[in-house]
Structure formats: C-alpha cells, structure tokens
Amino acid sequence: MRVSLNWLREYVDFDLSPEELAERLAMTGTAVESIEHLGCAFEKVVVGRIKGIKPHPNANNLVLCRVDVGERELQIVCGAKNMKRWDRVPVALVGAVLPGGFEIKKTTIRGEVSEGMMCSEMELGIGEDASGLLILDKDSGVGEDVGKVLGLEDTVLELEITPNRPDCLGMIGVAREVAAITGGKLRIPRVRFKEESRPASSLAKVKIADPDLGPRYVARMITDVSVGPSPLWMQRRLIVGGMRPINNIVDATNYVMLETGQPLHAFDYEKLREGKVIVRRARRGETLLTLDGVLRQLDESMLVIADAREPIALAGVMGGADSEVSSGTRMVLLESANFNPVSVTRTSRKLGLLSEASSRFEKGVDPNGVIYAADRATQLMARIAGGKVLRGAIDVYPKPVPPKTMGLRPRLVNHVLGTDLSLKRIAQILESLELKVSKPVARDSKLEVTIPTFRPDLEREIDLVEEVARIYGFDRIESTLPESGEKRGGLSPDQRIRQRIKDFLVGIGLREVITYSFIDARHFDKLALPEESPLRRVVQLQNPLSEEQSIMRTTLIAGLLHVLQHNINRGQRNLHVLEVGRVFHPVPSRPLPDEPTMVAGALTGAWHDDQWYGRAKSVDFYDVKGIIVALLRDLGIRDWFSTRAVHPIFHPGRCAEVFVNGEVVGIFGEIHPDVQAAYGLPERVAIFELEEAKLVSQSDLSRHFGEIPKYPGVILDVALVVDEKIPNEVLEKAIRTWGGKLLKEVRLFDLYHGKQIPEGKRGLAYSLVYWAEDRTLTDEEVKKIQDRIIAKLRQQLGAEIRA
C-alpha cells in the first residue's frame, strides 16, 4: 500500500517526519517497507497571473501576454487559446530546463520579445494534455513554485499491510491508525451532491441470485456525463498510488478505492441489456472478454455480474470489455459491492488474473462501507464529469451484517500487559480506533465494546487487549521475565543429534542454504528422472503463486543444483553447500503426505584456489564419500557400509548407497553429465542426500575411553585381488570380523588397476594393526590370525593374495 503523506494530511494532522511516522507505524504492527521522496522534476517554474492579453502584431495565431510572476511582469508570446485574463498558469522562467532537456531562453518571436514560456501539462511532463495551458487554481500564490502548488514534492510510504487488516488498504484506514497513535483528529470527507427527481430504480434493476457469494450490491445512476481526462490533482494521486489514469469516470472509481479500500466499477449503462444487473454464478460454457483483452472461459464456481443475457464482469476481479466506459459514454451505472473473499480468491487463481480489486476483496471488504464509497465516487463524477445523479441508491442487502459487541475486562488488560492503565485510558485508546465503548458503572466492570464491521480481525477479548497494547506503545510496556517455576530448558537427545549433524557439516566447510519447498516440475526433466520414478510422484498445489512454484519438492538435490547454477552465473567457482529440510511424498491412503527431513550437500570446483605449492584438485566422488564417512564416525555409527548403485541423477559408476544397520539411509556420488549440462554447471558436481531420522535413530554420542597400550603392536599388510563389484566396506567388515579382538585397526592404503590385475578385478592393500592389552604378541599368534583372515577371504569372497 503506497501512502502519499500529502494526501494523508487531508485526513489527519500530524507533526512527524516521514522517518518518525514510519517508526510509530512499525511499533503498532504496520511495517514500512520503504520511504520514497518524490522531488520536483524542474526548477524556475512558478505560478504566473495573466494581467493582459492582446493579439501579436505580426502573427494571427499568436498573442502577447502580460504575466505577473511575483517580483516582476513579463511579456510572453503564446499560441494557446484556452486562457483568459486573471488566469493563473505555470510559467517557465528564463533558465528553466523542462523535461526532455528543453531550456527556456529569452527570445524574439516575429519581432516581439518573449521572456519565458507558459506551459501545458505535457510540457511540464506531468500529464498528456497538450491542447492548451494548464490552468491552476485561483488561490495559487503568484510567484510560488509550481512543484509545491501541484503537490509534486511528496513523500510516499510503502506499507506492508497484513492480511487481517483490510481496513488499512485505503487512505482513510491508514489515517485512522495515524490519528490513534498521534492523538490527531480523523477527518473523513463529507459527501454532498444534488440528486435529480427521477429515481435510479426507474432505469436499473439489481438482483442477487447467490447471496452467499455476493452479500451486498449497491448501484448508483449518473447521467449526462462527459468522459475525458480527470483533473491533474487526481491523476497525480493515482500515479503516486501506483495506478494509471484512464479517464475521469474510471479514475474516480480508482481514486475512491485508494481512499476507502472499497473497489468500485463503472459500467456504460447503455451497453447493459434491459438495464439489468444480476449477481449470479457463471453457467457452463460461458465466456467473458475482460478489460485486458483476454477471452476468459468461465465455470460454475465463478461469480459474475451479468445483464439480462450474459456476463458483463467477473465479480470482484475485473470488468468486461463490452461494457466498459468509453469516450462515447453518457450514462454510468456505478457498482459498489461486497463479494465473498473465498469466491474472489478462487476465481482469481483459476484464471491467473490478479487485480487491485481482487487483492482487496480477497482480504475482506467492509460490507457496510459500500454505500459511503458509492456516494463518494458519485460526488466526484458529478463534480469532474458534469454528471447528473438520479435519486437514491439501489441497495440489495439480503442479510445485513451488524457490528459485534464483546466485553473487555480492564483487569485482564493490565494483567496481560503488565501495566496499570486506568479504565478511562483503556476506553480512550479503543475510541481512538473508532470502537464504541460503553461507560461501566464500577471500576472493575467490563467495558462493552462495539466492533465496527471494518475491523473483522477483532474476534476475541484478547484481540482488544492487543489493540490497547498497540496504541499505548509496545516500547512503553516494561519487559519482564516470565515465571518458570522448576522447569528447565534444553534440547532433547534427538535435537542435540540433529544440531550436531548440521554443526559437523558446517565445521568441515559446507555453507548452509535454504531453498523453497515449492519447485518447478521442469526440474524433474533437468534431473533426467523417468516418468515412473518415485520422485515424480508429487504433491500438486491447487493455488500456486506461479508455475515455477507449483509442486512440493521430493528431493533437495534440485534446489541445491539451482543454488550452484545461480552462484556460478555470478562468478563463483568453489562452492560447497548444505541444506537440511523437509521433502514431501504423497501417500495414497492418507490426506497428508510424508514429510521426512533430509540432509543434503553439493560440492563443485575445489576446496581451495591454486596455491604456490600446487594446483587445486577438483572435488569428486571420494570427497563426498569422505564427508559421509567422517559424519557417520562423528555420530558413533559403526554398523554401516556403502555399495555401488544406479540412479538417473548420478554418473554411472560414480554413485553409491549408504546402509546403516542394513537399511538404506541415503545416496551419494557425482551427478550425471547430462544433468550437469542441464543446469549449466562447468565442472563436475558431487552430491549426497541422507535421511536425517535414520541417522538420528542409529547414532551413539557416548564416548568410551581406555588406557594407552602398554605393549607394542604388530603391523602386517595384506594385498588382495578381488572382484571389483565387492565394496571396500564389505572387505573391511569381513577382515574385522575374522580378525577377532586382537585386530584393532584396518586401513586401506592402496587401490590398483593394472596389467597384472585380471579384467573385472581390482587390487586392494590393507594395513592391519594387532595388539593386546596384557602382553606383547608373538609373531606366531599374529600369523595364525592373519592366515585365518586370508583363508576366510579366499573361501567367502573369492579373494586372492597379490604377490
């Protein structure tokens, strides 16, 4: 919501700088996203008063004007025809530079000196009208800066309005908040206009066929309008408010929407068949050409405004092109209505059509504010379009919504806030927000508070307590610690393990990122997932914010690869990222999906840049495997192994699954070259994804300490030739099992493929450390164990001893 401070001051006086006002609003729950200072685009342009006009002696189409600019009178040659004596107009003095770089100089035109230029809207760059001079208000001060007179110098606050405060989507609602926090008096514009004797109901008929979706509809009739540009002051306010001026009729409806928060729409009455307005659901097969030029296919869930034959507008969303106001419009039917927020939201999302009106109706518009908004827009149309207002408003309101009344205990206010506010002060605060408060008989009596319908967020007594706190000032409420009794805070064992996982991965050099849970389905094509892949079974959003966020993610890998792509495109190379987050898998038998938390990481580039002592080595399969091995050791997980796997995301032969206690907990490896190319990643990428809950359930953070060995150990090596399909983890586990208690350490120190190794085999060499706690081992003891290990390896795994 863009709030012009110049406009705001018409409703409430306040003596605060923009920054001070922004801080006060923020303290009451209305965040200010930005402060924009709008300056004048030109200098040396002042208000001039025309004191005389006479023909140019040497040109039939020019006149000589004598213009008072305050300190002196100037002669200016002019070709415009719309001015008269004593009019006040903008005058660009000698030396002024107008938009487009046009500098004003003293010049001679057809033999007559011209000491400046009187300007049109277009020449000032503030409008599109170039047909004549811009005629200023009669009370404009001669010699004053035109920028100030026209309100071109302004400050705009960009407010973040929360969904529960639709009343603040209009200038009056914001002014109400400012009046409450500053103690100023709220001034709501009075509405007065002349009505003709002929009733509006003699021309128009309104029917609500579906009151659940359209609870109220008000129509006003304005005849004999002259459609043209709206006044400059209105155009300026619309532009500052973020809207484009169109014509005086449409601009009046938009102006009142920005002022009150109530959307309105103007129909060309003569384009409505039989003068009927029917609020109903769309029928199967109906279409509507909306104002944006798109033919919309409608269905029975959508509420429309129809005439006697077909839809003429989407209720609360957008009008139809066939009934819009044009330059030939002479009779206007003005709509001010209330529509069901859910209905508007559904229609808007289905059609992908968002508008200023729909954004307001979705949050909820005051059903009892439609009459004021209709009358205010009618007043403006009569004033700026020369319209005649037919008597009375056609108001169809089947089920009027009355204000709510609830009790408020002053004792509760002070108990919750820790204050000592008097009953009078509490009532005063609530009344400053235009809540009606009854006067209680006794001090401890309840206040009876009547809640106006423009505040639908006030539903419970505690909501009123919050209102008191907001306006009194959160910064004035003393901070106190809550009583804790005997309770102690802290993390549960599982929470400590989860935090340890994250801390460990960050500690070894990964940087944590957070990606969206909503993703684009096209990621699955980039990941080369086949149609039957379980990862393609997704939770589809019914009302996505965009096509790029239309499904819930089933893996963290897509988001991490997008992070790598985003950073590489901005000149980064060595990237090591981590994410811990939920994924979502639909369950056919349940309404809600499974939401396991995954731990994932992605590496590309190198761990560091080139150094003087050598070039950096690119990350690969073994880097990510090393991270997983180190993590499992840190978590005290002993019963684990990894085995080769095949997965469409990963490079063939560089992918493995991790098993803990016989159960798959995750996958790791290098991504497939096609996936790498799809994301535009120049170097190999190694990734992993593990299921957090399975890691947590198998972790053992207890640590056991023993004495330093008193006796020396024995180290023996064994070189094996085995089938290349047998993982190292299987061999290590077998060696430890068959080595018994005296075998303390097994370490792989060599991996070999060469001419001496048969095809389909590989050479692995291990260092085995033996020692006993109570004696020095003899060579015979160790050799006996070593021989047993080798025999078992040959027998069980088909291993051969490599010479």
Side-chain angles (χ1 to χ4, degrees), residues 623-633 640 658 667-668 687-690:
D623 287 284
V624 74
K625 180 179 180 181
I627 290 173
I628 291 175
V629 171
L631 174 63
L632 295 176
R633 287 177 178 170
W640 72 271
V658 183
I667 193 168
F668 68 91
I687 57 178
F688 67 88
E689 188 170 42
L690 308 171

Side-chain angles (χ1 to χ4, degrees), residues 389 521 734 746:
V389 182
V746 180

Side-chain angles (χ1 to χ4, degrees), residues 174-439:
V174 176
R176 185 182 293 114
E177 288 284 300
V178 173
I181 62 180
T182 62
K185 181 177 176 58
L186 178 65
R187 296 185 296 271
I188 296 177
R190 292 182 61 187
V191 176
R192 287 181 294 184
F193 50 83
K194 179 184 176 183
E195 289 185 311
E196 303 296 314
S197 59
R198 185 179 185 181
S201 58
S202 66
L203 289 180
K205 306 295 181 185
V206 176
K207 176 184 177 182
I208 297 179
D210 197 327
D212 290 335
L213 301 188
R216 188 176 190 183
Y217 196 99
V218 170
R220 273 280 190 182
M221 286 296 305
I222 305 98
T223 65
D224 300 313
V225 298
S226 177
V227 178
S230 56
L232 189 61
W233 61 268
M234 181 177 284
Q235 293 187 38
R236 289 294 302 169
R237 288 187 174 173
L238 291 176
I239 291 170
V240 170
M243 304 197 73
R244 179 175 62 89
I246 297 174
N247 59 53
N248 49 5
I249 299 298
V250 176
D251 290 354
T253 65
N254 288 333
Y255 182 90
V256 174
M257 179 181 70
L258 294 180
E259 182 178 60
T260 66
Q262 168 68 50
L264 303 103
H265 186 71
F267 294 100
D268 185 330
Y269 172 80
E270 293 176 310
K271 296 177 182 178
L272 306 184
R273 294 169 184 84
E274 300 180 23
K276 289 184 178 181
V277 171
I278 304 171
V279 183
R280 62 170 173 82
R281 289 177 184 264
R283 297 176 183 132
R284 185 187 300 273
E286 285 187 322
T287 60
L288 175 66
L289 182 66
T290 47
L291 288 172
D292 56 359
V294 178
L295 185 64
R296 309 282 178 177
Q297 188 70 42
L298 310 180
D299 62 42
E300 295 91 331
S301 69
M302 300 175 184
L303 189 70
V304 299
I305 311 301
D307 60 14
R309 194 173 79 182
E310 61 186 6
I312 55 175
L314 284 168
V317 180
M318 186 173 285
D322 294 338
S323 59
E324 71 174 317
V325 170
S326 64
S327 58
T329 298
R330 293 294 174 263
M331 300 175 71
V332 171
L333 185 146
L334 175 64
E335 166 192 289
S336 180
N338 186 263
F339 301 116
N340 182 284
V342 176
S343 171
V344 173
T345 301
R346 185 188 301 117
T347 301
S348 176
R349 296 297 185 272
K350 270 191 177 182
L351 298 177
L353 186 58
L354 301 178
S355 64
E356 288 284 348
S358 68
S359 68
R360 285 168 168 79
F361 279 121
E362 286 174 10
K363 295 177 177 66
V365 172
D366 179 14
N368 293 321
V370 296
I371 279 287
Y372 175 82
D375 289 349
R376 175 70 167 143
T378 300
Q379 176 190 37
L380 291 174
M381 289 181 189
R383 172 182 166 189
I384 66 177
K388 296 179 180 179
V389 182
L390 298 192
R391 176 167 52 84
I394 304 170
D395 185 3
V396 181
Y397 196 9
K399 299 177 182 178
V401 179
K404 294 180 295 186
T405 300
M406 70 174 72
L408 175 64
R409 293 165 290 171
R411 184 182 301 173
L412 177 67
V413 174
N414 288 318
H415 173 72
V416 172
L417 303 183
T419 55
D420 188 24
L421 298 176
S422 67
L423 186 146
K424 181 180 179 181
R425 178 60 177 139
I426 293 172
Q428 185 183 49
I429 289 173
L430 296 176
E431 287 172 343
S432 72
L433 293 167
E434 295 196 306
L435 310 184
K436 294 181 180 179
V437 182
S438 67
K439 304 301 180 184

